[in-house]
Amino acid sequence: MRTFHNRHHATVIGATATAVLALALTACGGEDTGTKAAGSADSSVSAATSAGSSRSTGSVKTSDAVQNTGTTNAVTMNAVTAKAGGGNASSDSYTYTHPCEMQKLSVHVTRRAGAPTQRVIEVRNVGSKACGLSHYPLVSLGNSQSPDHSHDVRPLIPSGLGGVPAFPVRAGHTAYAVIDLNPSGATTGTVAKIDEMNVLADGDHMPNADTLNFPLGSGAKVLKPKLGLYRNTVADAVRSMTQADTQS
């Protein structure tokens, strides 16, 4: 488990940034954009919208205390080709000793259709070999104007992880995790001034600099959020989320 105190904003990193895209939302909510930094250059992520849901990603900045400026440069990134290596690069066992690298992942957040308080975190392996993720993404919910994450809200997660050491993600495949910001649907007593979600795809192996930021909008209501484990389908990820009972 990692605790992070620096502001870094969302991105998908690849070999070459090729185009600037626009972010669209459906009627289920407001506009989601975000930013992130890696190295000395700003880069960013593609954004797409599907029926009943909205997908967003963003770019990263180099400062350790970056503020959310509200500006997003959305681009598509080329996948980084994995180096040749030993072992069966498509097997589950291979993933247990080969953690995913951020530059070979595409991370998006969508609003789940028919469930306005839920968000789907999609982590796609855009490399040429399988890799392993931690059992769940490291997530916190906070305020975009806060100088650090010390007061962020962290969700409950399912207890009794055990089992295999990593969640396998084959090349070209996507892992899903679902978070419910407000499982009870409460309209009062919610945490004030929560307007962003911070996501680290692999809290066991990735540095804090790979943390991605996804705005939730000023009207987001957050109370006792629940986060599920990575799963191969959204339906399974939802079922995992409902079992969350331990503080992350």
Side-chain angles (χ1 to χ4, degrees):
M1 186 68 58
R2 291 178 180 271
T3 300
F4 54 91
H5 302 284
N6 300 328
R7 173 157 308 284
H8 296 282
H9 298 276
T11 190
V12 166
I13 301 177
T16 309
T18 59
V20 176
L21 303 179
L23 176 65
L25 282 181
T26 61
C28 63
E31 190 169 280
D32 288 358
T33 56
T35 55
K36 173 191 172 181
S40 60
D42 285 354
S43 57
S44 61
V45 186
S46 61
T49 302
S50 59
S53 67
S54 62
R55 173 178 292 174
S56 65
T57 48
S59 63
V60 182
K61 297 182 180 177
T62 54
S63 171
D64 284 340
V66 180
Q67 295 294 324
N68 183 357
T69 63
T71 301
T72 301
N73 294 321
V75 302
T76 56
M77 311 300 289
N78 289 337
V80 177
T81 302
K83 294 180 179 179
N88 182 352
S90 65
S91 68
D92 286 356
S93 58
Y94 180 89
T95 69
Y96 301 154
T97 55
H98 292 79
C100 295
E101 301 173 27
M102 190 61 212
Q103 65 267 29
K104 297 173 186 176
L105 297 177
S106 172
V107 180
H108 301 279
V109 169
T110 67
R111 300 186 183 193
R112 184 170 172 246
T117 64
Q118 295 181 14
R119 302 292 187 272
V120 181
I121 300 168
E122 304 175 2
V123 181
R124 184 173 180 80
N125 181 354
V126 297
S128 63
K129 293 185 178 182
C131 63
L133 291 169
S134 52
H135 291 288
Y136 59 91
L138 190 62
V139 175
S140 71
L141 304 160
N143 181 267
S144 60
Q145 300 305 313
S146 177
D148 59 55
H149 293 281
S150 60
H151 300 293
D152 280 9
V153 176
R154 296 186 183 277
L156 296 176
I157 58 171
S159 58
L161 297 179
V164 297
F167 183 82
V169 189
R170 290 181 173 79
H173 287 228
T174 301
Y176 301 93
V178 170
I179 183 171
D180 195 327
L181 307 177
N182 184 7
S184 68
T187 57
T188 60
T190 55
V191 183
K193 299 180 179 180
I194 300 294
D195 64 2
E196 70 177 5
M197 179 167 65
N198 304 289
V199 179
L200 186 60
D202 186 330
D204 291 341
H205 302 98
M206 292 180 179
N208 293 341
D210 287 338
T211 299
L212 312 179
N213 164 257
F214 301 90
L216 297 173
S218 59
K221 295 185 182 300
V222 175
L223 183 65
K224 298 179 180 179
K226 290 185 175 184
L227 171 69
L229 307 180
Y230 280 125
R231 292 291 182 258
N232 290 315
T233 69
V234 173
D236 284 346
V238 171
R239 282 190 283 271
S240 177
M241 175 271 295
T242 63
Q243 299 171 7
D245 58 0
T246 301
Q247 189 63 56
S248 61

